[in-house]
Amino acid sequence: MSASLVLVAVGVAAIGLTRRAVLALPLVAIPLAAHASGKLVIDGSNRFALTLPAGFVASKRSATQGTLYVAGNFPRAAVVSVTAWPISELLASDAAALSLPGMPAAKPRAAPRSPSSLSDIAPSRELTKILARQRDREQGGGLSSSVLSSTEDGGRLVLELQTELPVANPEELEKQRGIRQLIRHTIAVATLGQVPGKDGPQPAVVAAWASCLREDWQGDLGAPLREAAESFQWAPTQAA
């Protein structure tokens, strides 16, 4: 398999994309300036907005929880996505994943009913690991991301991850690209939000994720992907 086909396969597998379509959405009054190299996108339910890098196309999604939005530059395995995980489900899922077979299930961290900040859920470093593990589980394939950095910024959590991706033929990859590993670099910006629940709106951790292969991050994709994640804004009044 050629290196270009390897990268397309990695990009499609990483996001579970089945359809590719350019997103056409109405504008709402969410203050966000688009960069000259990208475009402002706002989802159809006016829940969030971000600046999408040039050349990215989006899939159509109707989810109210989990992965809400995915766009990508698929030949280069670069992806921008938005997730919304109810806090109680996020913590329960993490505790279940950490439980050892044959041992009593780990007790989930208590979910705050009305959190006013992300720190009400868990300390920033711990919350970063919780989000990274949840992201890995949703991506599938037994991925395990390592945390490069984690900082709080104005009520938001900014985290960067590094993930080694499976490679079927390292020798072929080395011939084509001079590398034997595929390392994905990810930046994410998380904040508090709300998503619909059975008994009304429920608190959630909402986040924008932007990622690509490490070589491309160090090249021309790192800056626009960082901008995409950092431009993320959530409109909680639209989530109910």
Side-chain angles (χ1 to χ4, degrees):
M1 180 183 291
S2 69
S4 60
L5 291 179
V6 168
L7 295 185
V8 172
V10 169
V12 173
I15 61 175
L17 187 64
T18 58
R19 290 179 294 179
R20 301 177 183 178
V22 177
L23 195 65
L25 299 172
L27 293 177
V28 295
I30 297 180
L32 183 65
H35 189 273
S37 62
K39 64 178 179 180
L40 172 66
V41 295
I42 304 168
D43 92 310
S45 300
N46 297 335
R47 296 167 295 185
F48 64 84
L50 53 75
T51 299
L52 191 66
F56 280 56
V57 294
S59 68
K60 292 182 179 179
R61 290 175 178 259
S62 58
T64 59
Q65 298 182 13
T67 301
L68 308 181
Y69 175 82
V70 175
N73 181 332
F74 306 112
R76 300 185 67 181
V79 177
V80 173
S81 63
V82 174
T83 59
W85 295 320
I87 295 172
S88 58
E89 296 179 18
L90 173 66
L91 297 178
S93 176
D94 191 65
L98 294 177
S99 298
L100 298 175
M103 299 294 289
K107 185 177 180 180
R109 174 183 285 270
R113 292 186 177 181
S114 301
S116 59
S117 68
L118 292 174
S119 60
D120 290 340
I121 304 172
S124 59
R125 190 70 178 179
E126 183 176 348
L127 181 58
T128 294
K129 294 179 179 178
I130 291 172
L131 295 176
R133 290 192 291 262
Q134 179 69 13
R135 183 69 169 170
D136 287 340
R137 288 193 294 273
E138 289 205 348
Q139 299 291 303
L143 300 178
S144 181
S145 296
S146 58
V147 177
L148 298 177
S149 65
S150 175
T151 58
E152 294 183 70
D153 180 15
R156 310 200 304 176
L157 181 64
V158 181
L159 55 123
E160 294 195 44
L161 310 173
Q162 179 174 283
T163 312
E164 183 174 353
L165 304 175
V167 176
N169 192 335
E171 290 75 18
E172 180 64 22
L173 182 64
E174 186 174 25
K175 288 179 182 179
Q176 298 292 334
R177 291 176 59 89
I179 56 175
R180 295 180 61 86
Q181 291 179 305
L182 290 177
I183 305 296
R184 183 175 65 202
H185 190 111
T186 301
I187 182 172
V189 173
T191 188
L192 281 177
Q194 289 183 330
V195 293
K198 293 182 179 179
D199 300 319
Q202 56 182 323
V205 178
V206 297
W209 304 79
S211 64
C212 66
L213 296 179
R214 181 171 59 186
E215 291 75 17
D216 290 330
W217 181 273
Q218 295 170 346
D220 63 318
L221 287 181
L225 287 174
R226 179 179 296 277
E227 180 185 23
E230 292 179 347
S231 71
F232 174 64
Q233 293 193 28
W234 180 262
T237 57
Q238 302 293 336

